[in-house]
Amino acid sequence: MRKWISSHLQYYSLRQKISLIFGLTMMIVCMVNIITYVNLNRIEKTVNSVYDSNRNLQQITTTMDEIQTNVYAYLNTRGTDELEGYYRASAEFREYMEGFNDRPTNDSLKLKEKNIRSLGETWIGFTEQAILAKRGRDIAGYGQAYQQAEEVYQYLQIQLKSLSTELFARSTEQYHALALVRQRILVLCICEILLVLVFNLMVLLYFLDHFTQPLALLAGYAEQVGKGDLALEPLEVQSHDEVGIVR
């Protein structure tokens, strides 16, 4: 390996050799850092996805409570504040439902989302019927619509809790997977440091030998010449850099 390196680097100047070694070291560091960044970015996206899902469920539950409260209050008082609050909250609820799956699927999580979206549309329809019946002074109509809305509301709450439980179970699995990825990244960083240290040590030893060996030979030849021995064989030049020129 050493002979192969020497044969390929013999025509390079010292500046070129040092630049090449430095460039290879930086390339290794950059490649490992890129891999680390990609893995960390993937971890961040997964964590954010789990966090956003749990947060949306909490917001949906809060919005549903607000809708149900405003409908009940409007049916009993017919106040404009309750009516405005209902329309605002129902618009938010519909926006949340747009983010739920509405396509056939074999995934249990997506299937729960599809069922919740269907129940949510049914429930919000009953609340609208109750509001419209109240505005039309249809006592029997808004009473029946509100009762149906209350039944669907209770079942919808159960489905949301079930979805939240499954999300928690999956988030636990994802947490263990993320912990494994973090461990791998830590090992990768340690390997990067060790690799760079070993590589730089090898480069240092190579250059020390490259510089000191020719100088030792020159010192020996100079000592022999100083003793009057002028029949010495010429030194063999093995490189064409600055040290080889001196030899």
Side-chain angles (χ1 to χ4, degrees):
M1 183 68 178
R2 182 176 177 180
K3 292 181 179 180
W4 183 87
I5 295 175
S6 299
S7 63
H8 283 75
L9 296 180
Q10 62 178 335
Y11 293 101
Y12 285 70
S13 67
L14 288 178
R15 177 179 295 180
Q16 290 174 329
K17 291 177 181 178
I18 295 174
S19 299
L20 178 62
I21 299 302
F22 179 77
L24 289 175
T25 304
M26 292 303 298
M27 185 181 299
I28 294 173
V29 173
C30 289
M31 289 179 60
V32 175
N33 286 335
I34 290 173
I35 295 174
T36 303
Y37 171 78
V38 171
N39 285 315
L40 289 176
N41 192 44
R42 185 178 63 180
I43 290 175
E44 182 180 1
K45 287 183 179 179
T46 304
V47 172
N48 289 338
S49 176
V50 174
Y51 173 76
D52 290 340
S53 298
N54 292 330
R55 184 182 60 181
N56 286 339
L57 288 180
Q58 293 175 355
Q59 292 174 342
I60 290 172
T61 302
T62 302
T63 303
M64 287 177 57
D65 292 340
E66 185 178 355
I67 291 173
Q68 199 72 6
T69 300
N70 284 324
V71 171
Y72 179 81
Y74 179 75
L75 295 181
N76 286 276
T77 63
R78 203 177 180 181
T80 57
D81 292 339
E82 289 78 8
L83 185 61
E84 290 177 359
Y86 164 78
Y87 283 122
R88 177 182 52 79
S90 62
E92 293 179 1
F93 180 79
R94 287 190 175 92
E95 185 176 350
Y96 288 135
M97 290 295 100
E98 288 295 324
F100 277 53
N101 176 58
D102 61 347
R103 298 179 181 179
T105 179
N106 293 325
D107 184 87
S108 60
L109 195 64
K110 294 295 182 181
L111 185 59
K112 277 188 173 63
E113 288 186 0
K114 184 176 183 295
N115 293 335
I116 289 174
R117 182 167 180 172
S118 178
L119 284 171
E121 292 173 352
T122 301
W123 171 66
I124 205 70
F126 284 140
T127 60
E128 287 181 351
Q129 290 178 18
I131 293 293
L132 292 175
K134 177 65 176 180
R135 299 182 70 178
R137 303 194 180 193
D138 182 1
I139 299 176
Y142 76 70
Q144 181 180 2
Y146 179 77
Q147 182 178 2
Q148 291 173 326
E150 181 68 21
E151 292 175 357
V152 178
Y153 170 77
Q154 297 297 333
Y155 187 65
L156 187 56
Q157 290 279 18
I158 295 174
Q159 291 299 311
L160 284 171
K161 290 180 180 179
S162 175
L163 178 60
S164 178
T165 301
E166 186 166 349
L167 275 174
F168 177 78
R170 289 202 178 186
S171 65
T172 303
E173 295 176 359
Q174 290 174 342
Y175 174 79
H176 292 304
L178 294 179
L180 181 60
V181 172
R182 285 196 296 266
Q183 185 177 2
R184 290 177 178 175
I185 291 176
L186 178 61
V187 173
L188 185 62
C189 291
I190 294 175
C191 290
E192 174 192 7
I193 295 173
L194 293 177
L195 181 62
V196 171
L197 289 176
V198 171
F199 186 76
N200 287 339
L201 180 61
M202 292 175 60
V203 171
L204 177 61
L205 293 176
Y206 170 77
F207 274 102
L208 286 176
D209 183 66
H210 181 75
F211 290 140
T212 58
Q213 184 181 12
L215 294 177
L217 290 174
L218 286 174
Y221 267 63
E223 184 179 356
Q224 294 296 324
V225 172
K227 293 179 181 180
D229 187 1
L230 302 179
L232 297 174
E233 293 290 335
L235 289 174
E236 181 182 355
V237 178
Q238 297 179 350
S239 64
H240 300 272
D241 56 15
E242 292 81 351
V243 176
I245 294 174
V246 172
R247 293 174 66 177

